[in-house]
Amino acid sequence: MSEASPAKAYALHLGVIALLFALSFVLPEYYHGLLARIMVLAVFAMGYNMLFGYVGLLSLGHAMFFGAGLYGAGLAIIQLGWGVPLAFLVGIACGAVLALVIGLLALRTTGVAFMIVTMMFAQVFSLLILYFATWTGGDQGQVVPQPARVLNLGATSLDLTDPTVRYMSALLLFSLVLLVTLAIVRSRYGRVLVAIRENEERTKMLGYDTFSNKLMAVVVSGTICAASGAAYALLFGYVGSSFASVQYSILPLLWVLLGGAATTLGPLIGTVFMYYVIDVSSGYTSAYLLIVGIALILLVLFFPKGILGTIRQRWLGWLP
């Protein structure tokens, strides 16, 4: 990478944040709300990308981290009556603790076994939500009351149900996670994670504790996903078991593959692409999944490493 690469990378990411900020003033109401949802879910994909893209660990259980944040924040308000800031922190803490426990157990395996173990843990988490339906709402889920979704800031307050406040809150979360992710992957620790992905045995020979580094990556990944889940509960006011299902773990994998694994902006591009292709095609035909399938096949053929991954490989090698 050239000496100008760090400056280019940070300028690009700040430019993307500025573009998203500017879009809040020009987008119609419907797309305004849709983009806010996309930014929150892109954070979910960025958390997944931290583990899958940079460490090379394929997980099918990341929905439980998203669900831990979702239910941690939602139930803190619904059942305990706590405020928005504390509920958000509780959601993040739930995801971080769960990620630590799952990481300690699942990292004893590798490859396909790791994928299966994470899927099994996710299934257990999903079943626990259904079993404790008295508190979680079971299949139906629960709605976070609108009056409780107000952030009190001394003399002023911010209503998270307001479209502008919701959009800016989603943008703030997305921006923080994006810049933190960029800092991590460009740090020495990020280089170690890539080394583990490429050749774990050689990384061990160089003196690195690969288990501890992978465990930290699982915790960071799970914490980011939990932050996304907590934000989703607070900004959109719904806590449901479908978000914690095993099937929901496939979505961030798809978004990351479409945008480009091991690229910081790839998760956003993949999430935007999937949401807007489905949204536009469903407006023309009920067979919109056929159009989505054709679009995915074309992407695999012409962008085998994802949109941003292929662009980096062919033209812009400095992209992080």
Side-chain angles (χ1 to χ4, degrees):
M1 298 180 71
S2 66
E3 292 298 326
S5 294
K8 287 182 180 179
Y10 280 100
L12 173 64
H13 288 68
L14 291 175
V16 170
I17 293 171
L19 175 62
L20 291 172
F21 177 78
L23 286 175
S24 67
F25 300 101
V26 297
L27 286 176
E29 182 178 354
Y30 172 75
Y31 289 103
H32 193 274
L34 182 61
L35 188 54
R37 193 181 302 269
I38 286 174
M39 285 190 288
V40 173
L41 293 178
V43 172
F44 181 25
M46 283 192 282
Y48 188 88
N49 188 42
M50 179 62 65
L51 192 64
F52 173 68
Y54 293 99
V55 190
L57 292 174
L58 175 59
S59 166
L60 290 181
H62 264 55
M64 64 180 160
F65 303 136
F66 184 88
L70 185 82
Y71 277 92
L75 296 184
I77 291 178
I78 297 170
Q79 301 291 348
L80 302 177
W82 292 354
V84 169
L86 188 56
F88 183 68
L89 292 177
V90 167
I92 293 177
C94 288
V97 172
L98 180 62
L100 177 62
V101 174
I102 298 300
L104 287 171
L105 298 174
L107 286 175
R108 298 175 184 274
T109 63
T110 58
V112 177
F114 179 84
M115 178 184 68
I116 294 174
V117 168
T118 54
M119 181 178 67
M120 291 170 59
F121 278 122
Q123 185 64 36
V124 170
F125 183 83
S126 180
L127 291 175
L128 285 174
I129 292 174
L130 298 178
Y131 182 78
F132 293 101
T134 304
W135 294 277
T136 64
D139 281 331
Q140 296 181 350
Q142 297 190 52
V143 175
V144 181
Q146 182 174 346
R149 293 159 57 197
V150 176
L151 179 61
N152 294 311
L153 301 172
T156 62
S157 61
L158 295 175
D159 185 358
L160 298 181
T161 63
D162 179 81
T164 301
V165 175
R166 182 171 55 196
Y167 185 96
M168 291 304 173
S169 300
L171 177 59
L172 177 61
L173 175 66
F174 172 81
S175 302
L176 289 175
V177 173
L178 179 65
L179 295 177
V180 168
T181 301
L182 178 61
I184 290 174
V185 301
R186 295 191 64 86
S187 67
R188 179 183 176 185
Y189 173 66
R191 304 301 186 191
V192 173
L193 294 183
V194 173
I196 293 173
R197 181 192 68 194
E198 297 299 321
N199 194 321
E200 185 172 353
E201 292 302 319
R202 182 171 295 178
T203 307
K204 287 181 180 178
M205 291 176 61
L206 292 174
Y208 291 101
D209 185 347
T210 57
F211 181 85
S212 296
N213 281 283
K214 289 193 295 184
L215 178 61
M216 187 180 298
V218 172
V219 173
V220 171
S221 176
T223 302
I224 293 174
C225 293
S228 175
Y232 195 97
L234 297 174
L235 296 179
F236 302 102
Y238 178 69
V239 175
S241 60
S242 60
F243 292 108
S245 64
V246 175
Q247 293 85 346
Y248 207 74
S249 293
I250 299 174
L251 291 178
L253 171 61
L254 182 60
W255 297 333
V256 168
L257 289 175
L258 286 175
T263 62
T264 51
L265 289 172
L268 172 64
I269 293 174
T271 309
V272 169
F273 178 86
M274 277 299 297
Y275 258 79
Y276 277 98
V277 167
I278 292 175
D279 185 68
V280 173
S281 60
S282 62
Y284 291 95
T285 175
S286 58
Y288 64 91
L289 289 179
L290 176 62
I291 297 176
V292 172
I294 294 173
L296 294 179
I297 292 173
L298 292 175
L299 273 176
V300 171
L301 290 175
F302 295 102
F303 294 88
K305 291 191 174 183
I307 297 172
L308 203 61
T310 303
I311 291 175
R312 179 174 63 183
Q313 180 186 39
R314 296 178 180 176
W315 300 294
L316 302 176
W318 55 268
L319 286 174

